[in-house]
């Protein structure tokens, strides 16, 4: 069944449970360090409020046990500033207090309920039918008329607030979800040549994407960079030195060397490897070509160098479509930001460009880059969608 959107929803006077993803980096004092994910949902929330909805917002922040696992008070304050409609905060998610806060909403008002992951069931994965019986869903359903899911960045999670409501309430995709599905679900019709850039540190996901798009003949080029590029270099027999080898071992990425080598055997004509690497030597950035490897013992390969940037930029600029995930190096450190900045600039000049990932978006903001056709709000969800996998939250909406 096709997914229903806000165009199919009669909003006026209804009470809506709206799941968004505002999981954000926090400062040491618990303030929002970045509000990009909140900004992304402004259109959906404004539209629902403008159309006379009473909006109960559901969201998570962090994971149990992590430093950024926190309440949503700061998020509510910021949403209240961003929207021209009042957004209050309720420090409960589905208790009597929470249900009262929802029931007391007037048309054009929103309440942000507390971090869904404060409740243990929300951090478990369930089939939709079972998620529909969890306490969160069971207790909120009586005060809601319909459910809107706009949380694309969490759509690969089969958690109650993401998959449990649509079996008990009419379910709709919000505008963020709709646009992500439109763009990422229709890669096959984008112009060629089509280039995938797999950078960053999600090694297993990136290898899965590369394998999938090469096998399905969707990719004319796969450019490897970042930690993913380093793994491919080792898989190709290059000696990137002890520091990078230790890092790859410590992070558990060595398990994927064989998969990378297998891909290189089959698709060497379409997979591109870094031609050089930047390391830190005596406090300076030093670039080594592959012939000059290995770096010294304590020198990690932290960025791609000029030779790679030149070769990759040419492919990127000439591409009909670029689909890019992950930075080319440790862009947070200015010494190793060059590869990411230059490659992203070239990618933005392709005919059609799609970028995804939390750190990727942070890099785009850091370098103040524009010109991308679609900046996905998702990292893991975006990669999952690019491999052609079904996302549980979307499946739940289409039942
Ligand atoms: N050569 C490298 N060595 C170590 N870390 C790297 C390297 N290149 C990129 N990274 C790191 O990868 C992280 C981002 O990867 P990832 O989370 O996969 O991106 P995204 O969030 O965009 O999907 C950044 O913290 C960056 O510093
Ligand atoms: O930040 C998120 O995903 P991302 O790290 O893939 O961008 C989403 O909020 C999902 O969070 P989760 O990976 O803790 O389930």
């Amino acid at each position: 069944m096709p997914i229903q959107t806000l165009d199919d929803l009669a909003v006026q006077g209804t009470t809506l449970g709206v799941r968004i993803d505002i999981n954000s980096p926090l400062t040491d004092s618990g303030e929002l360090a970045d509000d990009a994910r909140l900004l992304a949902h402004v259109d959906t929330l404004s539209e629902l409020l403008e159309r006379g909805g009473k909006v109960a917002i559901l969201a998570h922040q962090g994971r149990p046990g992590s430093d950024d696992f926190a309440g949503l008070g700061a998020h509510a304050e910021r949403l209240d500033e961003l929207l021209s409609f009042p957004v209050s905060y309720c420090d409960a998610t589905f208790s009597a207090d929470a249900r009262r806060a929802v029931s007391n909403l007037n048309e054009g008002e929103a309440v942000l309920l507390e971090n869904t992951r404060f409740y243990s069931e929300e951090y478990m994965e369930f089939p939709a039918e079972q998620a529909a019986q969890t306490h969160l869903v069971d207790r909120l359903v009586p005060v809601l008329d319909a459910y809107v899911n706009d949380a694309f960045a969490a759509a690969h999670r089969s958690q109650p607030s993401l998959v449990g409501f649509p079996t008990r309430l009419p379910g709709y995709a919000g505008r963020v979800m709709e646009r992500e599905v439109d763009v990422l679900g229709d890669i096959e019709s984008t112009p060629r040549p089509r280039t995938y850039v797999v950078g960053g540190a999600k090694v297993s996901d990136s290898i899965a994407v590369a394998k999938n798009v090469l096998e399905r003949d969707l990719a004319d080029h796969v450019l490897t960079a970042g930690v993913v590029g380093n793994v491919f270099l080792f898989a190709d027999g290059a000696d990137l030195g002890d520091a990078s080898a230790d890092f790859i071992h410590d992070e558990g990425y060595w398990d994927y060397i064989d998969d990378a080598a297998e891909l290189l055997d089959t698709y060497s004509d379409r997979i591109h490897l870094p031609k050089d690497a930047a390391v830190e030597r005596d406090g300076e950035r030093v670039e080594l070509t592959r012939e000059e490897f290995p770096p010294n013992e304590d020198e990690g390969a932290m960025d791609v160098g000029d030779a790679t940037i030149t070769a990759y930029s040419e492919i990127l600029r000439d591409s009909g479509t670029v689909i890019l995930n992950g930075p080319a190096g440790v862009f947070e450190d200015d010494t190793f930001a060059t590869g990411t900045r230059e490659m992203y600039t070239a990618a933005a000049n392709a005919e059609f460009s799609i970028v995804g990932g939390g750190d990727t978006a942070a890099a785009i903001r850091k370098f103040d880059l524009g010109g991308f056709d679609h900046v996905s709000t998702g990292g893991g969800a975006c990669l999952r969608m690019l491999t052609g996998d079904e996302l549980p939250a979307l499946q739940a909406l289409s039942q």
Side-chain angles (χ1 to χ4, degrees):
M1 206 170 89
I3 291 174
Q4 302 203 90
T5 71
L6 301 190
D7 297 331
D8 305 299
L9 172 61
V11 177
Q12 181 82 46
T14 57
T15 306
L16 306 167
V18 182
R19 178 61 158 101
I20 61 177
D21 191 320
I22 46 176
N23 185 27
S24 304
L26 303 181
T27 63
D28 291 342
S29 56
E31 297 301 309
L32 286 170
D34 182 280
D35 63 1
R37 278 196 164 155
L38 287 78
L39 276 163
H41 293 290
V42 163
D43 284 354
T44 296
L45 294 172
S46 296
E47 178 177 343
L48 293 172
L49 292 162
E50 177 90 53
R51 289 171 62 188
K54 307 171 190 178
V55 174
I57 307 172
L58 289 158
H60 74 276
Q61 170 63 51
R63 298 174 178 178
S66 69
D67 288 345
D68 63 352
F69 187 50
L72 298 180
H75 304 64
E77 243 173 69
R78 187 71 188 120
L79 280 176
D80 189 52
E81 287 164 8
L82 290 172
L83 296 170
S84 45
F85 297 89
V87 181
S88 57
Y89 163 60
C90 175
D91 69 352
T93 311
F94 57 80
S95 67
D97 279 349
R99 296 196 298 275
R100 204 170 305 115
V102 175
S103 300
N104 286 341
L105 287 169
N106 294 309
E107 290 179 17
E109 287 179 3
V111 60
L112 175 60
L113 300 171
E114 188 53 285
N115 188 343
T116 51
R117 290 186 180 173
F118 279 7
Y119 300 91
S120 54
E121 279 180 320
E122 177 68 1
Y123 202 54
M124 296 164 72
E125 306 245 4
F126 297 99
E129 306 301 324
Q130 211 180 328
Q133 304 308 323
T134 55
H135 293 85
L136 169 97
V137 177
D138 203 48
R139 297 209 178 163
L140 283 178
V141 160
V143 293
L144 299 174
D145 299 309
Y147 170 78
V148 174
N149 195 342
D150 211 28
F152 174 75
H156 54 318
R157 307 288 179 215
S158 192
Q159 293 163 347
S161 71
L162 292 153
V163 300
F165 286 99
T167 50
R168 298 187 59 181
L169 292 170
Y172 303 85
R175 296 302 181 197
V176 170
M177 189 73 94
E178 186 186 351
R179 168 112 182 104
E180 296 274 14
V181 173
D182 278 355
V183 176
L184 299 174
D186 195 27
I187 295 287
E188 292 171 39
S189 62
T190 56
R192 299 190 91 139
R194 198 178 292 129
T195 302
Y196 285 77
V197 181
V198 287
K202 292 191 178 79
V203 174
S204 75
D205 285 339
S206 296
I207 289 179
V209 170
K211 184 170 191 289
N212 184 281
V213 298
L214 287 162
E215 275 174 3
R216 291 199 292 153
D217 220 7
L218 290 176
D220 299 299
H221 303 282
V222 172
L223 310 185
T224 65
V227 181
V228 178
N230 292 353
V231 168
F232 271 92
L233 278 171
F234 277 114
D236 195 45
D239 182 0
L240 261 188
D242 289 349
S244 292
D246 289 348
F247 177 80
I248 285 172
H249 272 293
D250 292 348
E251 298 293 322
Y253 302 144
W254 206 263
D255 298 347
Y256 302 103
I257 296 274
D258 287 348
D259 296 338
E262 214 168 286
L263 283 182
L264 282 171
D265 275 349
T266 319
Y267 302 106
S268 60
D269 53 330
R270 285 188 277 160
I271 300 178
H272 301 257
L273 301 181
K275 295 178 179 303
D276 52 4
V279 302
E280 187 169 333
R281 187 171 292 172
D282 302 327
E284 300 283 324
R285 175 185 170 106
V286 172
E287 296 186 3
L288 305 174
T289 61
R290 188 163 169 169
E291 293 69 41
E292 293 166 323
F293 290 172
N296 294 330
E297 204 179 357
D298 58 339
E299 296 172 348
M302 308 285 268
D303 193 13
V304 294
D306 271 351
T308 310
I309 293 169
T310 304
Y312 281 11
S313 296
E314 200 179 314
I315 296 172
L316 290 167
R317 271 193 296 268
D318 291 344
S319 294
T321 304
V322 172
I323 297 141
L324 180 157
N325 174 262
V330 183
F331 73 95
E332 299 91 340
D333 178 344
D334 288 342
T335 312
F336 299 112
T338 320
T340 303
R341 193 180 54 237
E342 297 302 316
M343 276 178 58
Y344 284 21
T345 304
N349 284 318
E351 202 179 322
F352 188 69
S353 53
I354 299 170
V355 293
D359 285 292
T360 303
I364 289 170
R365 279 194 299 282
K366 174 172 170 156
F367 305 131
D368 200 18
L369 299 176
F372 296 104
D373 295 284
H374 181 69
V375 180
S376 175
T377 51
C382 177
L383 283 171
R384 195 74 79 81
M385 188 115 183
L386 291 175
T387 56
D389 284 352
E390 290 259 28
L391 303 186
L394 288 174
Q395 271 176 318
L397 282 181
S398 60
Q399 273 164 8

